[in-house]
Amino acid sequence: LQSSQMEIIESNEFEKGSPIDKLNELVRFYSKEKFLPEQLPDFISTFNGEQRDLSVKSLVGIRKILCSPNKEIIQYVMDNGIVPIVISILHQDFSPLINQECLWIILNLSTSDNPQHAATLIEKGIPDILLSSLELKDVNIQKQAIWAISNLSVESANTRDYFINKGALPRII
């Protein structure tokens, strides 16, 4: 973190409120920053080190970089093991904004036109995570899940049928 960011995090503003409030404030703070593809290795190494502590900056950075039209970035992120990390974070249910960031990463990965990327997401159990996300009260999380379900459903008839058989349509409508 840059010194200005550390000062904000260490300031009294972050001493008020619950840990979830602090995480949400960090998400809002980092969402205002611009990130470059060159930062991806640093963000990914945050998660692949000995300590897999949640790094809000890395989550937001990966999500924002994945919004790039450069599809090679998706391959890089997939090759570097972000999907299992995002799944792990989602299972820990840190906060709605952290979950939204994770689902947004999944959504961005699901936009790939490489069928292997969709197959990897499906193999890792993303469809069940997306379906359970539809049950949450947060509309933004539901939107991310719906878009990702849509993207994965067009990739194969099997995936589409899986979502239909699991009752996705009534939950979406």
Side-chain angles (χ1 to χ4, degrees):
L1 295 175
Q2 297 172 348
S3 62
S4 64
Q5 294 164 337
M6 284 304 296
E7 290 170 17
I8 291 172
I9 292 169
E10 292 171 355
S11 74
N12 291 337
E13 291 178 41
F14 283 92
E15 290 180 17
K16 300 172 187 166
S18 71
I20 290 175
D21 293 336
K22 293 174 188 177
L23 285 173
N24 290 341
E25 189 59 35
L26 283 172
V27 169
R28 286 185 201 95
F29 177 78
Y30 289 124
S31 291
K32 296 173 187 171
E33 286 198 22
K34 182 175 174 135
F35 297 101
L36 302 171
E38 296 80 35
Q39 293 175 280
L40 269 175
D42 292 335
F43 293 150
I44 290 170
S45 70
T46 300
F47 297 109
N48 291 335
E50 288 183 19
Q51 280 200 343
R52 287 191 160 190
D53 292 342
L54 175 66
S55 172
V56 176
K57 181 178 182 179
S58 292
L59 272 178
V60 174
I62 290 168
R63 185 260 302 164
K64 289 183 84 170
I65 292 168
L66 279 169
C67 290
S68 155
N70 181 349
K71 296 296 182 184
E72 292 174 11
I73 291 173
I74 291 176
Q75 184 67 51
Y76 182 85
V77 170
M78 295 290 279
D79 289 347
N80 283 281
I82 287 301
V83 175
I85 293 165
V86 167
I87 290 170
S88 174
I89 293 168
L90 282 166
H91 286 307
Q92 295 175 50
D93 196 29
F94 285 100
S95 79
L97 280 178
I98 295 294
N99 289 352
Q100 182 180 340
E101 289 297 319
C102 290
L103 286 169
W104 205 338
I105 288 171
I106 291 168
L107 168 61
N108 289 339
L109 294 173
S110 75
T111 64
S112 172
D113 52 8
N114 182 335
Q116 186 56 46
H117 294 159
T120 299
L121 293 172
I122 292 162
E123 288 169 15
K124 299 288 184 187
I126 293 300
D128 290 326
I129 290 171
L130 296 173
L131 288 169
S132 64
S133 296
L134 293 176
E135 301 300 321
L136 299 174
K137 302 289 184 213
D138 190 299
V139 173
N140 292 318
I141 289 174
Q142 292 172 345
K143 285 180 190 177
Q144 301 300 330
I146 290 168
W147 277 107
I149 287 170
S150 173
N151 290 343
L152 292 175
S153 292
V154 299
E155 285 302 315
S156 78
N158 287 341
T159 305
R160 180 199 63 224
D161 293 345
Y162 179 83
F163 283 120
I164 291 170
N165 293 332
K166 289 288 190 170
L169 284 178
R171 292 188 239 177
I172 292 171
I173 298 172

